[in-house]
């Protein structure tokens, strides 16, 4: 089987942004890793898939929207640690029968990991997530003490 | 807004609407090909597949979730997806079937039965 990385010209202007995002994520995850105890993992640091991630903020919630086409719900992991949201998982190859041959592979198969620092404190117990049409939406309610409050003049 | 983005058959629709080229994979089996195209945010209703002059065009119109609040970090692109593939002459265009699950469109492209024996044909390159 051959793997061909394919970059179309229409996507080219974005690659710089992607690379920057990748680099930032890699740096983030680098500092989270117990690198010195598991040196072998360092080899995986600069490969992989970096799904597009949007972050929104409203009065009550912080919402992360991640594009993860063709995953199984059970293969997505979401974790929250010290104000950093991490979404990771693994996209598995569909079980293939005999005689199948990949002619061209642009879709990334394997593990991915995205981390983003949240802008405010959130209530970790009330985080919810939905996965629909290949888009993961994580809703993180803000912690009570950081929500904007109206104070009445008495 | 809808009229602006509507597909214009007689002309330069590329100028009226911008598309993103989605990543795709082709898997060959003995009796046909499987084409997988990544289109997050596209449902069955947003898929538009056409075959013309041996070219398969797949368009995916996104129905993105409406998110409250202000965007503070943005990486996704709002454009719809479009990609064109040149079809191998052995493919029976009438029997192409498609399904979409979690933003991954899977097209089954069966070979016409009388062509199955021909080994010299290949699914041709992406346009």
């Amino acid at each position: 089987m051959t793997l061909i990385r394919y970059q179309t010209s229409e996507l080219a202007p974005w690659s710089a942004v992607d690379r920057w995002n990748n680099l930032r994520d890699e740096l983030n995850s680098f500092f989270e890793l117990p690198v010195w105890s598991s040196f072998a993992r360092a080899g995986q640091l600069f490969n992989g898939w970096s799904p597009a991630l949007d972050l929104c903020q409203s009065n009550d919630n912080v919402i992360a929207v991640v594009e993860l086409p063709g995953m199984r719900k059970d293969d997505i992991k979401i974790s929250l640690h010290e104000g950093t949201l991490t979404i990771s998982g693994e996209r598995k190859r569909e079980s293939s029968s005999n005689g199948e041959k990949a002619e061209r592979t642009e879709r990334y198969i394997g593990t991915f990991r995205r981390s983003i620092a949240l802008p405010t404190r959130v209530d970790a117990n009330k985080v919810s997530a939905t996965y629909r049409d290949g888009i993961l939406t994580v809703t993180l309610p803000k912690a009570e003490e950081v929500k904007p409050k109206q104070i009445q003049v008495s | 807004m809808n009229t602006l983005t509507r597909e214009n058959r007689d002309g330069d629709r590329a100028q009226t609407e911008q598309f993103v080229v989605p990543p795709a994979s082709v898997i060959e089996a003995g009796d046909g090909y499987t084409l997988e195209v990544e289109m997050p945010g596209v449902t069955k209703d947003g898929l538009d597949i056409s075959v013309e002059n041996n070219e398969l065009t797949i368009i995916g119109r996104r129905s993105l979730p409406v998110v409250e609040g202000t965007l503070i970090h943005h990486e996704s692109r709002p454009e719809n997806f479009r990609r064109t593939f040149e079809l191998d002459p052995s493919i029976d265009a009438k029997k192409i079937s498609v399904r979409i699950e979690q933003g991954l469109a899977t097209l089954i492209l069966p070979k016409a039965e009388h062509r199955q024996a021909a080994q010299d044909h290949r699914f041709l390159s992406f346009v």
Side-chain angles (χ1 to χ4, degrees):
Chain A
M1 192 193 80
T2 48
L3 280 173
I4 304 164
R5 276 265 168 236
Y6 186 70
Q7 186 104 52
T8 57
S9 55
E10 276 179 65
L11 283 173
W14 286 82
S15 64
V17 181
D18 285 347
R19 239 175 276 146
W20 169 246
N21 286 332
N22 276 334
L23 179 64
R24 193 201 44 216
D25 278 0
E26 300 304 352
L27 285 174
N28 279 345
S29 46
F30 182 82
F31 290 113
E32 290 164 20
L33 272 180
V35 176
W36 313 117
S37 63
S38 59
F39 214 71
R41 286 170 74 185
Q44 298 173 8
L45 277 175
F46 291 92
N47 296 318
W49 174 32
S50 177
L53 186 153
D54 292 352
L55 202 63
C56 277
Q57 182 168 212
S58 68
N59 283 346
D60 297 328
N61 296 307
V62 177
I63 299 144
V65 180
V66 193
E67 293 185 354
L68 298 170
M71 297 272 303
R72 271 189 299 250
K73 207 169 62 180
D74 299 338
D75 294 334
I76 303 172
K77 289 194 191 80
I78 303 164
S79 70
L80 191 62
H81 179 65
E82 290 181 357
T84 298
L85 174 72
T86 299
I87 293 153
S88 61
E90 182 172 5
R91 186 150 69 186
K92 292 167 184 160
R93 185 175 296 284
E94 296 291 310
S95 58
S96 58
S97 57
N98 287 338
E100 286 193 349
K101 172 169 139 264
E103 284 266 311
R104 174 164 211 142
T105 306
E106 293 168 13
R107 297 189 58 227
Y108 177 81
I109 303 287
T111 58
F112 71 92
R113 179 190 165 94
R114 288 286 330 246
S115 294
I116 190 160
L118 297 173
T120 58
R121 261 183 296 159
V122 296
D123 187 341
N125 296 319
K126 291 185 184 155
V127 176
S128 63
T130 58
Y131 182 52
R132 206 162 161 259
D133 303 327
I135 294 181
L136 178 75
T137 306
V138 187
T139 305
L140 308 115
K142 288 185 181 175
E144 281 302 322
E145 62 266 29
V146 296
K147 280 187 193 171
K149 282 197 183 68
Q150 288 281 336
I151 292 158
Q152 290 286 328
V153 179
S154 56
Chain B
M1 193 63 197
N2 270 336
T3 46
L4 265 182
T5 56
R6 194 159 293 154
E7 203 174 307
N8 177 8
R9 276 275 166 197
D10 14 78
D12 33 330
R13 63 185 177 209
Q15 287 182 14
T16 52
E17 184 175 355
Q18 291 268 315
F19 289 98
V20 169
V21 178
S25 291
V26 181
I27 300 140
E28 187 189 358
D31 52 355
Y33 298 91
T34 303
L35 175 61
E36 295 177 326
V37 189
E38 289 188 357
M39 299 195 288
V42 175
T43 61
K44 204 173 61 169
D45 299 332
L47 266 188
D48 181 3
I49 292 162
S50 59
V51 180
E52 209 178 321
N53 300 327
N54 237 24
E55 271 189 3
L56 174 87
T57 301
I58 175 164
I59 293 175
R61 301 193 182 281
R62 317 182 80 186
S63 40
L64 293 171
V66 180
V67 178
E68 47 165 342
T70 44
L71 210 50
I72 51 177
H73 179 83
H74 190 207
E75 294 170 9
S76 71
R77 296 183 67 177
E79 289 94 345
N80 291 317
F81 299 103
R82 185 180 68 185
R83 192 140 186 196
T84 303
F85 305 89
E86 195 177 329
L87 289 181
D88 179 302
S90 70
I91 289 168
D92 188 345
K94 291 187 196 76
K95 287 188 183 157
I96 294 174
S97 62
V98 64
R99 68 188 146 91
I100 186 158
E101 270 167 43
Q102 294 292 12
L104 180 69
T106 306
L107 284 85
I108 309 289
L109 310 157
K111 289 179 189 170
E113 275 166 31
H114 61 282
R115 297 279 198 121
Q116 238 173 68
Q119 291 295 313
D120 53 332
H121 288 295
R122 286 169 63 88
F123 184 89
L124 294 179
S125 57
F126 292 4
V127 176

